[in-house]
Amino acid sequence: MNKELRGTIGVMTLNQCLHWFMIGLVLPVLSLFVLEKGMDYARLGILVAVYSGVTVAAELPTGGLADSLGRKRVYLVSLCCNALGALVLLAARGFPLLALGFAVLGFGRALSSGSMEAHFVDELLALDPKADLQRIMARLGVAVPLALGLASLAGGWLPALGSRLQERGLLSNKYAANYLAYLLAA
């Protein structure tokens, strides 16, 4: 395996691990964050449905967008959507803004879905048309869940920090620390 191919595999692994690390920061507290904002379980379910519905509805059109505008560009827009969605959630005081935040995050998820993976596969095949994609993706399939798991552990710890910041009046609730970390990661 040549040096350039190894470097591309390394960048791909780093990108995907950082992406899923970001998601792992909020995954353990998503429900708690929403409940702390005064929502009940029914509204929590509706918010998750909004996120999922927007993601599914936007999946096909955003795939075509990635093909026409470029995969990296669309992925960067997805990161902007993730940051905007986190900002909206942090500022939200009621259901309408929470729904908007979840919709923006769902759209960002649809934009990121497969865009960078496809970009990296194209890059790998351009460098070596005979590259063993199954082996490369299998290694990625080990690294990504590890990053997600480590981030989930960090995401479980962040509310302790958030509690201290909330006591000082810097956060509206202790779970907001997770969304601030997510925002910074995005």
Side-chain angles (χ1 to χ4, degrees), residues 3-171:
K3 186 177 179 181
E4 197 172 5
L5 186 63
R6 273 184 278 139
T8 301
I9 292 168
V11 170
M12 176 177 74
T13 304
L14 179 64
N15 170 268
Q16 291 300 290
C17 286
L18 288 174
H19 180 86
W20 288 99
F21 188 90
M22 172 181 73
I23 292 168
L25 291 171
V26 295
L27 207 54
V29 299
L30 183 139
S31 299
L32 298 170
F33 175 79
V34 170
L35 294 172
E36 189 82 9
K37 290 269 188 178
M39 299 299 109
D40 57 15
Y41 290 108
R43 287 190 176 163
L44 170 62
I46 293 168
L47 291 170
V48 172
V50 166
Y51 172 85
S52 301
V54 169
T55 301
V56 169
E59 191 72 34
L60 188 58
T62 57
L65 202 59
D67 290 340
S68 63
L69 294 178
R71 293 176 174 122
K72 280 200 303 192
R73 185 174 291 150
V74 167
Y75 180 72
L76 291 172
V77 171
S78 82
L79 293 177
C80 292
C81 286
N82 290 334
L84 178 62
L87 279 172
V88 171
L89 290 180
L90 285 167
R93 299 273 184 252
F95 183 79
L97 272 180
L98 284 169
L100 176 64
F102 273 84
V104 172
L105 288 173
F107 188 68
R109 176 66 191 121
L111 286 169
S112 71
S113 175
S115 58
M116 283 311 289
E117 294 92 335
H119 169 74
F120 283 118
V121 166
D122 288 348
E123 290 292 315
L124 293 171
L125 291 175
L127 291 169
D128 181 2
K130 294 180 183 180
D132 187 355
L133 291 179
Q134 181 178 354
R135 185 178 180 142
I136 294 166
M137 298 309 275
R139 286 182 181 175
L140 189 64
V142 170
V144 166
L146 287 174
L148 182 61
L150 288 173
S152 293
L153 288 172
W157 170 81
L158 279 170
L161 173 65
S163 288
R164 288 188 219 124
L165 295 173
Q166 183 183 16
E167 288 169 5
R168 294 181 180 160
L170 298 173
L171 293 179

